[in-house]
Amino acid sequence: MDVCGQAVVLQTEVHEVQSTTTMLSSWGYTVENLKEEQTNDPDFNIVLCWLNNAVTPTEIELMAASPAAYFYWINKEVFNLCDGVLYMAKPDSDSKLVLPLGMQESAIKLHHDLPSSGH
């Protein structure tokens, strides 16, 4: 999360695996990794329940939610699921991966510390 309590969002890429199938790769993480980590992040619970099951949280749940979870809820229209993974897509922009807190440090290391990262 950044200092405002919002999740880091990252660009995604789709790589051709075979002529008839594609594998979604978001900054080196598999779809299963991403789904598991997002499901385990309590800040994503409210928006994931709404997107997966059309469950609207109660006022009490919203009042008890973290600032990040509340942010996701009030901005729920910009979030979508692709293969069960949470993305954010603002109007006139590409979808961006919403990276859970547990994956942010490794993503930063993978994309800034490696010589191939270009930094």
Side-chain angles (χ1 to χ4, degrees):
M1 299 230 166
D2 67 9
V3 294
C4 297
Q6 299 174 10
V8 173
V9 292
L10 303 171
Q11 294 284 30
T12 62
E13 302 170 0
V14 176
H15 300 284
E16 288 292 327
V17 176
Q18 295 178 344
S19 59
T20 58
T21 61
T22 59
M23 177 180 72
L24 184 64
S25 172
S26 296
W27 283 60
Y29 298 109
T30 66
V31 170
E32 291 307 315
N33 279 133
L34 292 166
K35 285 185 346 188
E36 182 179 344
E37 289 291 327
Q38 287 180 339
T39 300
N40 292 334
D41 191 316
D43 289 337
F44 297 149
N45 189 40
I46 290 174
V47 75
L48 286 174
C49 285
W50 181 73
L51 288 169
N52 283 316
N53 307 313
V55 174
T56 301
T58 65
E59 279 189 50
I60 293 171
E61 289 172 319
L62 288 173
M63 288 174 33
S66 69
Y70 185 74
F71 169 83
Y72 300 141
W73 175 250
I74 61 173
N75 293 288
K76 63 187 175 291
E77 295 83 17
V78 300
F79 294 100
N80 60 66
L81 293 174
C82 178
D83 293 329
V85 177
L86 185 64
Y87 289 86
M88 182 171 72
K90 293 182 179 177
D92 300 326
S93 73
D94 294 330
S95 289
K96 295 178 181 162
L97 172 65
V98 182
L99 197 61
L101 185 59
M103 298 178 100
Q104 291 178 12
E105 186 175 336
S106 65
I108 291 168
K109 285 181 181 180
L110 283 171
H111 299 283
H112 289 276
D113 292 351
L114 297 176
S116 61
S117 69
H119 287 54

